[in-house]
Amino acid sequence: MKAYAAIASRQFQDALQYRGNYVLGMLSGLALVLAMFFFWRAGFEGRASIAGYGWAQTKTYLLIGYLAGNLVAFSAEARLSSRIRRGSIACDLLLPVDFQGARLCETLGDVAAQGLPALVVTVAVGIAFAGVLPPSGPAAAAGAAIALLLGVVLKSAIVYAAALLCFWTTNFVGISWARAALTNLLSGALIPLSFFPAGVAAALRWLPFAGITDTPARIYLGQLTGPGAVGAVALEAAWTVVLLLVGRGIWRAATAELNVHGG
Amino acid sequence: MPAIEASGLCKVYRRPVRAPGIGGALRQLVRPRHEDITAVDGVDLRIEAGEAVGYVGPNGAGKSTTIKLLTGILRPSGGTVRVLGRDPHRERLANARDIAATFGANRSQLHWDLPLRESLALQRDIYGVPEARYRENLRLCADILGVDAFLGAPVRQLSQGQRVRAELTSALVHDPKILYLDEPTVGLDVAVKERLRAFLRDLHRGRGMTIVLTSHDLPDIEDVCERLIMIDRARILYDGSLREVRDRFARERVLRFQVRRPGEPAAEDVVAGCGPVAARWEGDALVVSFDRTLAAAAGVTAQVLQKLDVVDLHMDEAGIEDVVRRVYEGRLDLREAERP
Ligand SMILES: Nc1ncnc2c1ncn2[C@@H]1O[C@H](COP(=O)(O)OP(=O)(O)O)[C@@H](O)[C@H]1O
Ligand SMILES: [Mg+2]
């Protein structure tokens, strides 16, 4: 256990050192958020709400979605795939730690140093200056925090499983794009899930991706409370476990016939 | 229980074969084709605790693959391996506590951007090495390898030689019982090579560490190992004592006498009576070669000096290098030669 704590804390210190890079990455992503804001504001022209969401709620939902998506930085994915492609994974396998566990600890170190502070600061600034809504209550704030953290593990599990495909293909960029497009669309980061037709929205909420954005955002806004919120978080937890296991399965298949790249 | 035991060990890599161009890429997508590359083919090994073994072979012979199989990084396609009684791939985590390996400078356990000291500390924490023990190990590496001079530098700023020393230090943090080194001296200058070899000798003789070392630089192996394993094209060609190979097959000595008036008398006449030696004229030099166990350099030299006006004298001794070259060129079969 101490080994994993050491890995997480090492990554935490690393990430602190590279906070500048992270902020730069966030700022460039901000262009996308602004584009989305203007797009949806045009959508709200002349009407008070879409699918029960006012403009302030939509804004809040999208901001949380954007930040939640950024909690697990792109660097986690790039780091893992480059290890596989360059073959330095051979050295990781010399360490007496579970590979998936170690990667998850690295992600948590990153999140604690970069993603979480960025999220708290951005939401606070948004509430103070940009008409973003505060959490609907203390219970909603706590629930959203739990759902967000669980979402971090969930997204890490997805990223991990996707990046392992680099064992079979050298096209990391393709995998990464497909993974990101799928996660963004199906989690609600681009379009709040409630804006989809009711049946589609309900179906999407059974998928794992909703746990990354939609569940924490709706708990935060107070749209998901009590048993509904508990159920959504439980589903999110179940998906997290399933995807972690899927990652282990892919790992086993990969290392069974694995050719560690290079000589 | 031997430290390492392998029987019938095999590793077959599958590599996609793709015709060039977009057409090839598409075809590969529809109907993937693979070729099988047998990198290790039926290798049997038995290495006792405390042995130092040199694993030699030309590029692509299967040295690195063998090391990866022994360390548990790769799963064998056939055969079995036991390392300290465990299956190194299935019981990778337990095995990892007892072994260490280095794979040259571009496969690193060290964090590129961190000062070396911090990478080493991470290694200490991952293995849970007590602080006192950690310092002691670090001191040893500082004394002999001189790593203390660059503990504060980020790994990316280290020279090749410094990086190899850093890797080795990192590998030794947790007191491994078995140390695998894949081409540890590639790209190092002579002084660093010497240092590294002295250090390995010390680990092996002083601490009784089991060492498996691959190299195509034979002096590495002559300096550190007592046992030599030669492989070529995935198979073992020779496995036995290094000294025996040298004594039995590296006996040739060549004396080269540069003279003032070359060409006469006939070469055979100069060395007549010296025993089983061969002589010939080569430019302005008389070249005499013989088996060092059958003739003495002193006697040959005395006679030649008497008969010729010698300006200069030079002696070459066949090393293990020549033997290995002869084996790979197919001019010497050690197993054939061993049979009486
Ligand atoms: N990841 C891999 N995928 C496919 N073939 C490989 C891979 N690694 C090594 N090989 C092939 O296996 C053979 C043995 O390689 P290797 O063990 O690296 O030899 P050595 O270390 O003796 O140079 C070579 O033919 C090499 O091309
Ligand atoms: Mg090699």
Side-chain angles (χ1 to χ4, degrees):
Chain A
M1 222 42 231
K2 263 180 74 182
Y4 296 95
I7 290 173
S9 113
R10 177 69 270 157
Q11 188 62 36
F12 177 79
Q13 293 171 46
D14 258 20
L16 276 188
Q17 206 175 340
Y18 285 95
R19 210 173 229 172
N21 284 354
Y22 182 78
V23 171
L24 272 182
M26 284 242 325
L27 285 181
S28 70
L30 210 58
L32 181 74
V33 181
L34 285 178
M36 263 182 1
F37 273 25
F38 288 121
F39 176 80
W40 284 112
R41 204 169 59 177
F44 274 91
E45 201 84 11
R47 51 172 134 180
S49 71
I50 299 175
Y53 279 58
W55 170 228
Q57 283 172 313
T58 306
K59 202 155 56 174
T60 307
Y61 184 107
L62 290 174
L63 185 68
I64 290 187
Y66 166 69
L67 294 167
N70 263 290
L71 277 179
V72 179
F74 172 72
S75 60
E77 197 163 3
R79 199 166 48 220
L80 175 52
S81 72
S82 95
R83 271 178 160 129
I84 296 171
R85 281 173 305 147
R86 293 208 321 238
S88 62
I89 197 170
C91 285
D92 295 311
L93 294 178
L94 288 170
L95 296 175
V97 290
D98 177 69
F99 189 74
Q100 188 184 38
R103 301 294 78 78
L104 190 58
C105 287
E106 279 177 354
T107 302
L108 294 179
D110 265 343
V111 169
Q114 299 179 331
L116 223 45
L119 180 132
V120 171
V121 170
T122 316
V123 169
V125 169
I127 292 170
F129 302 107
V132 169
L133 297 174
S136 75
I146 292 172
L148 268 177
L149 284 183
L150 203 51
V152 166
V153 182
L154 177 69
K155 187 173 170 196
S156 304
I158 295 175
V159 163
Y160 178 81
L164 286 188
L165 298 179
C166 288
F167 277 121
W168 289 278
T169 164
T170 45
N171 188 359
F172 162 66
V173 177
I175 291 178
S176 174
W177 269 78
R179 208 267 316 131
L182 212 64
T183 334
N184 280 336
L185 183 64
L186 301 184
S187 68
L190 294 178
I191 307 165
L193 292 191
S194 299
F195 289 17
F196 286 95
V200 176
L204 289 182
R205 287 189 174 128
W206 279 105
L207 294 183
F209 307 100
I212 299 170
T213 294
D214 187 68
T215 305
R218 283 195 307 148
I219 293 177
Y220 179 98
L221 288 170
Q223 296 172 341
L224 208 49
T225 53
V230 173
V233 172
L235 178 67
E236 190 182 344
W239 269 122
T240 306
V241 172
V242 168
L243 287 167
L244 285 173
L245 291 175
V246 167
R248 298 191 85 75
I250 298 182
W251 172 254
R252 193 151 325 127
T255 47
E257 55 148 330
L258 153 71
N259 300 344
V260 171
H261 293 291
Chain B
M1 181 179 72
I4 301 171
E5 193 167 27
S7 72
L9 191 59
C10 292
K11 178 69 195 178
V12 180
Y13 290 113
R14 305 203 79 191
R15 186 150 55 190
V17 270
R18 204 172 98 177
I22 292 181
L26 286 179
R27 223 171 305 138
Q28 183 65 13
L29 209 59
V30 180
R31 197 146 56 84
R33 290 203 306 136
H34 296 273
E35 63 177 338
D36 287 345
I37 298 150
T38 305
V40 172
D41 189 4
V43 161
D44 298 316
L45 278 178
R46 193 187 158 93
I47 296 171
E48 302 296 333
E51 274 194 282
V53 177
Y55 214 70
V56 192
N59 265 336
K63 303 183 294 295
S64 300
T65 303
T66 308
I67 299 283
K68 284 177 188 151
L69 290 166
L70 298 182
T71 50
I73 291 172
L74 291 177
R75 192 172 86 160
S77 329
T80 58
V81 208
R82 313 291 295 174
V83 175
L84 301 168
R86 298 190 196 98
D87 178 326
H89 184 74
R90 278 213 201 101
E91 300 164 76
R92 181 176 72 77
L93 268 52
N95 179 59
R97 297 201 158 271
D98 283 334
I99 64 147
T102 67
F103 290 100
N106 47 1
R107 289 286 159 69
S108 184
Q109 316 202 28
L110 304 170
H111 283 231
W112 202 238
D113 293 317
L114 290 183
L116 173 59
R117 184 183 291 111
E118 306 217 2
S119 272
L120 297 176
L122 177 61
Q123 206 77 355
R124 172 198 64 199
D125 294 340
I126 287 179
Y127 286 94
V129 179
E131 185 62 27
R133 185 70 198 148
Y134 173 66
R135 282 175 192 226
E136 204 174 308
N137 282 342
L138 215 54
R139 180 144 19 86
L140 181 81
C141 294
D143 287 349
I144 307 183
L145 295 176
V147 286
D148 46 341
F150 44 87
L151 277 176
V155 171
R156 77 183 121 78
Q157 289 176 4
L158 301 184
S159 72
Q160 175 103 338
Q162 289 172 331
R163 205 140 71 214
V164 170
R165 285 181 276 166
E167 290 293 338
L168 195 53
T169 306
S170 156
L172 294 172
V173 161
H174 64 287
D175 288 306
K177 298 192 179 96
I178 304 178
L179 177 62
Y180 302 95
L181 301 155
D182 194 10
E183 310 267 4
T185 60
V186 165
L188 300 189
D189 61 52
V190 180
V192 178
K193 264 189 201 180
E194 279 299 327
R195 238 187 200 187
L196 198 71
R197 291 174 191 157
F199 183 64
L200 294 177
R201 244 186 346 253
D202 198 56
L203 285 177
H204 168 52
R205 301 200 184 134
R207 292 217 228 169
M209 196 176 283
T210 310
I211 295 181
V212 179
L213 166 72
T214 82
S215 185
H216 46 241
D217 194 10
L218 280 153
D220 286 349
I221 287 171
E222 292 191 276
D223 261 22
V224 182
C225 308
E226 293 100 36
R227 179 167 158 198
L228 175 71
I229 298 179
M230 263 189 251
I231 64 165
D232 191 18
R233 273 166 268 160
R235 288 165 187 274
I236 291 186
L237 291 184
Y238 174 81
D239 178 356
S241 144
L242 181 69
R243 176 185 311 206
E244 197 178 300
V245 173
R246 198 175 342 172
D247 287 352
R248 293 184 57 142
F249 304 107
R251 294 180 180 174
E252 194 187 44
R253 236 169 224 179
V254 179
L255 287 167
R256 181 178 285 270
F257 302 91
Q258 202 185 323
V259 302
R260 222 179 288 282
R261 284 182 308 279
E264 61 183 70
E268 307 87 71
D269 295 342
V270 181
V271 293
C274 283
V277 304
R280 63 181 188 278
W281 284 105
E282 237 175 52
D284 64 351
L286 180 76
V287 179
V288 185
S289 53
F290 53 92
D291 182 327
R292 66 181 155 78
T293 60
L294 300 178
V300 174
T301 308
Q303 177 159 335
V304 174
L305 286 177
Q306 216 173 44
K307 296 198 173 171
L308 298 174
D309 188 1
V310 175
V311 190
D312 201 1
L313 164 61
H314 180 83
M315 182 166 89
D316 276 324
E317 188 145 14
I320 191 81
E321 212 130 15
D322 300 275
V323 181
V324 172
R325 189 164 30 76
R326 266 148 64 205
V327 170
Y328 290 135
E329 284 169 359
R331 291 194 283 125
L332 175 63
D333 183 337
L334 297 178
R335 275 172 300 193
E336 283 292 313
E338 248 172 30
R339 272 176 224 137

